[in-house]
Amino acid sequence: MKPINLQNVKESIEGSFDRLPVGAYPCIITEVTDYPNSEYLSVVVDIVAGEYERYFDKPFYADKPFAHSLVFSYKESALPMLKGRLHVISDCNTGYDAESAFYAGNEQSLVGKVMGVVFAEQEYFNKKTKEFEYGSPQPARLCRLTPDELEKPENKEPKQVPMTEKRKIAAIRNAKIATTDEDARRWLKQYEADKAAGGATASYSTSPSAPADTYNGDIPFMM
C-alpha cells in the first residue's frame, strides 16, 4: 500500500463521534415543516462553518430532527417571540424579509437562509431511567451572525435550559407513568422531594388504564 501520513489526523474511536460543545454557531435552515393543527413550524438547521460544519449531516441524525430543530410557534401567545426570530433571520439575510414571507404563507422560503443558533444543554425526561436529565446541546435560540453576537458570554457559554413544570407534567404522561395531570404532578412532587433528600427516583406510580396522549400542543416532540 502507499505511504499514509497520519501525523496531523485526529484520532477517533469506532462507534463514537465528537459531542457538539455548547455555544453559538452559524447555521442554515435545511428543512421547514408546517403543523397547522398545532400551529407551529419545525425548523431544522445544520452548522455551515467552522470545525463542526455539517455536524448533523450524519446517518445517526437521519431520524432525529428534534436534535437540531427549533419550534416556531405561531399561536397567538407566541407571536412576539416569532416576530423576534423572523427579525433576526431578516437581519442575517440581506434583501430577505422573513416576516413578509411568513405573512404570505411562504414559509418554505426560509430554507437556505442563515442565522446564528445558540446550542444549549436542555433538560428532558429519560423514559428508561425515569430521571430528568440534561442531554447533548440542542438549538435553544437564535442570534445574529456578527462576531459580537456569536461571542457574547451568554451565547458562547449558554446556561442549561430547564423544563417548565407544564412540560414535565406532559413528559411524565407521555412516558405512561400517569394518565392525568394530577397524578403526574403528584409523581413529580415525590420525585423532587426524593432528589432534594438525596434519594433515588420517585417510587410513586400509577396504573394507567389507557395510554397517555403522546402529543402535547406545547411539546411537539419528546426525547
Side-chain angles (χ1 to χ4, degrees):
M1 61 179 286
K2 67 179 182 180
I4 299 175
N5 185 359
L6 298 176
Q7 184 175 355
N8 297 318
V9 176
K10 185 178 180 180
E11 179 181 337
S12 66
I13 300 174
E14 290 183 85
S16 68
F17 53 88
D18 290 340
R19 185 175 189 269
L20 182 70
V22 299
Y25 298 88
C27 290
I28 188 170
I29 296 174
T30 60
E31 183 181 335
V32 174
T33 305
D34 183 21
Y35 294 89
N37 291 337
S38 301
E39 299 182 292
Y40 77 91
L41 299 180
S42 172
V43 179
V44 181
V45 303
D46 202 354
I47 299 169
V48 291
E51 179 182 355
Y52 294 94
E53 182 177 358
R54 299 182 65 184
Y55 180 83
F56 297 102
D57 188 21
K58 301 183 178 80
F60 177 80
Y61 289 107
D63 61 347
K64 300 175 179 64
F66 58 81
H68 54 117
S69 65
L70 294 124
V71 172
F72 281 30
S73 174
Y74 49 87
K75 290 182 179 181
E76 191 69 30
S77 60
L79 292 181
M81 177 180 289
L82 174 64
K83 185 169 183 175
R85 286 179 164 181
L86 295 176
H87 191 185
V88 170
I89 294 173
S90 295
D91 287 350
C92 294
N93 296 272
T94 304
Y96 178 68
D97 189 334
E99 188 175 342
S100 295
F102 200 91
Y103 181 76
N106 189 17
E107 72 277 357
Q108 291 304 318
S109 68
L110 291 169
V111 176
K113 301 303 182 289
V114 296
M115 69 281 184
V117 178
V118 177
F119 284 75
E121 293 180 347
Q122 302 188 46
E123 191 175 23
Y124 74 100
F125 187 65
N126 187 322
K127 295 179 183 179
K128 292 182 179 180
T129 63
K130 296 182 181 179
E131 296 277 356
F132 287 98
E133 303 171 352
Y134 284 93
S136 298
Q138 295 182 4
R141 60 180 183 274
L142 304 187
C143 68
R144 289 169 175 79
L145 285 173
T146 64
D148 287 346
E149 282 282 310
L150 294 173
E151 294 297 322
K152 273 186 177 179
E154 60 266 34
N155 292 337
K156 191 174 181 180
E157 295 290 340
K159 295 180 179 179
Q160 292 178 322
V161 182
M163 295 175 74
T164 62
E165 181 178 305
K166 183 177 181 180
R167 288 189 62 198
K168 287 183 176 182
I169 295 299
I172 292 168
R173 292 193 59 183
N174 184 57
K176 300 180 183 179
I177 293 173
T179 56
T180 68
D181 285 359
E182 182 180 354
D183 284 340
R185 193 170 287 109
R186 192 178 303 127
W187 189 94
L188 178 61
K189 184 176 180 180
Q190 183 63 55
Y191 172 90
E192 292 176 340
D194 288 347
K195 286 299 177 183
T201 304
S203 57
Y204 175 81
S205 64
T206 61
S207 300
S209 57
D213 186 358
T214 57
Y215 179 80
N216 178 283
D218 293 318
I219 310 175
F221 54 77
M222 197 72 66
M223 293 283 289

